[in-house]
Amino acid sequence: FRSGLVIWEVMLSIVLLVGAGLMMRSLFALQHVELGLNPVNILVARTPLPKGQYETAEQKRIFFRQVLQRVTALPGVIAATETSSLPPYGGPESDVTIPGKTHSDPWRAMFQLCSEGYFKTMGRHLLRGRLLTESDVDAARPVAVVNETLAKAYFGKEDPIGQKIKFNLLDEMPQSPKDQYFEIIGVVADAKNRGLQQGIEPEAYVPYTVTGAMERGILVRTGVEPMSMLRLVRREIWAVDRNVAITLTGTLEGYLQQFSYAGPKFGLILLGVFATV
């Protein structure tokens, strides 16, 4: 019985060690996934706006334009942007309509409501065409920058620049344009948009001023430790409107750690401890 117990203990420890080794390999692979964006030194802050005060797209434009101008003027800030979601964890997804294209299966794409500073803040690379400009955003022009996946999936070998695309979800959202087609003005390199373990999905980036719907936040790229800038960023936001709440503050690297790395790391530690014991 004692000999059998030892054999089972050795077998169990080997299984646990193999499991720990596989978890270590998975965690290493996850930490070295090519994101397509640069998460280093990015401060994240959500800004739920007071009810009834910022319902329209124009009201949001006035608020965020002042905030972004003040924040980007701070020493230590490289770039800042308004955002409707947290990269690389996606955003609202919509069925899309493209004139002249027929298909049997539904075509879907995510869309990010952002300002012209989004691409510099996130370290995104332009492949062709142009990016959003301040005048595009201020005028709420119906233009869009798309990722490589969308361009290849829905336009194939055609040049997507100058083509039109419609996000059907906007027809159902309040304070949004109805039956609005967006002209594609640029294509950017792919970046993760469904977490680190999922494939990249079609995505478009449009001026945040085209709709008053959805909650927003800001992303700030800094030249110093991001959390050291939080107090100053909060001060500038409250200088525009003291009633605006500032929630879910942190760094993009911190959110990656929390949402993507923490689970596998905990599993690795747990298996490693039991295997060692």
Side-chain angles (χ1 to χ4, degrees):
F1 176 78
R2 189 181 300 114
S3 299
L5 182 61
V6 170
I7 291 171
W8 277 103
E9 286 175 343
V10 172
M11 289 175 59
L12 181 59
S13 65
I14 290 173
V15 170
L16 289 170
L17 283 170
V18 170
L22 290 174
M23 289 292 292
M24 184 181 297
R25 181 181 177 184
S26 298
L27 179 60
F28 179 83
L30 197 62
Q31 290 176 329
H32 290 80
V33 166
E34 178 56 49
L35 296 176
L37 52 86
N38 182 4
V40 179
N41 282 5
I42 294 183
L43 177 68
V44 178
R46 298 300 289 176
T47 54
L49 301 173
K51 293 289 185 183
Q53 190 172 344
Y54 295 99
E55 300 298 323
T56 68
E58 177 61 14
Q59 288 171 327
K60 284 185 169 66
R61 184 196 71 81
I62 293 172
F63 171 77
F64 280 108
R65 179 57 63 201
Q66 293 181 72
V67 167
L68 294 176
Q69 286 176 346
R70 298 179 72 98
V71 169
T72 52
L74 290 171
V77 170
I78 297 173
T81 181
E82 181 274 356
T83 180
S84 56
S85 64
L86 179 67
Y89 299 104
E93 191 173 15
S94 170
D95 288 334
V96 298
T97 301
I98 300 175
K101 300 286 185 180
T102 58
H103 48 90
S104 55
D105 298 327
W107 279 2
R108 297 183 64 79
M110 289 184 286
F111 63 93
Q112 174 74 257
L113 302 170
C114 59
S115 60
E116 70 281 357
Y118 181 85
F119 306 97
K120 183 177 180 180
T121 303
M122 299 310 302
R124 301 293 299 275
H125 303 295
L126 179 68
L127 299 179
R128 70 184 87 157
R130 69 175 180 85
L131 300 174
L132 298 177
T133 64
E134 184 176 333
S135 60
D136 290 332
V137 176
D138 283 343
R141 291 195 183 108
V143 293
V145 175
V146 301
N147 67 355
E148 284 180 279
T149 296
L150 189 149
K152 291 176 181 176
Y154 301 152
F155 295 99
K157 295 182 179 180
E158 293 181 51
D159 186 359
I161 305 300
Q163 303 269 16
K164 303 280 188 177
I165 185 170
K166 175 175 174 282
F167 305 99
N168 301 334
L169 181 64
L170 288 174
D171 292 340
E172 306 168 13
M173 298 171 66
Q175 298 295 332
S176 301
K178 311 304 177 187
D179 200 33
Q180 178 69 71
Y181 284 82
F182 292 77
E183 180 185 354
I184 297 174
I185 59 171
V187 179
V188 292
D190 278 339
K192 287 289 187 180
N193 55 14
R194 272 296 182 217
L196 274 57
Q197 296 176 303
Q198 303 297 321
I200 297 170
E201 297 192 12
E203 186 171 20
Y205 310 87
V206 301
Y208 72 90
T209 48
V210 299
T211 175
M214 294 191 288
E215 289 192 353
R216 315 296 175 89
I218 63 170
L219 302 171
V220 183
R221 175 170 292 283
T222 67
V224 297
E225 204 285 315
M227 292 305 292
S228 69
M229 298 293 298
L230 178 59
R231 181 181 61 83
L232 296 176
V233 170
R234 183 185 288 119
R235 183 192 69 189
E236 297 305 325
I237 294 173
W238 284 346
V240 177
D241 189 339
R242 186 73 185 180
N243 296 316
V244 172
I246 303 171
T247 64
L248 300 177
T249 56
T251 67
L252 188 52
E253 286 184 298
Y255 280 113
L256 283 170
Q257 178 69 32
Q258 179 181 346
F259 297 150
S260 295
Y261 303 143
K265 185 176 292 186
F266 177 75
L268 171 61
I269 293 172
L270 195 63
L271 281 175
V273 167
F274 278 111
T276 303
V277 169

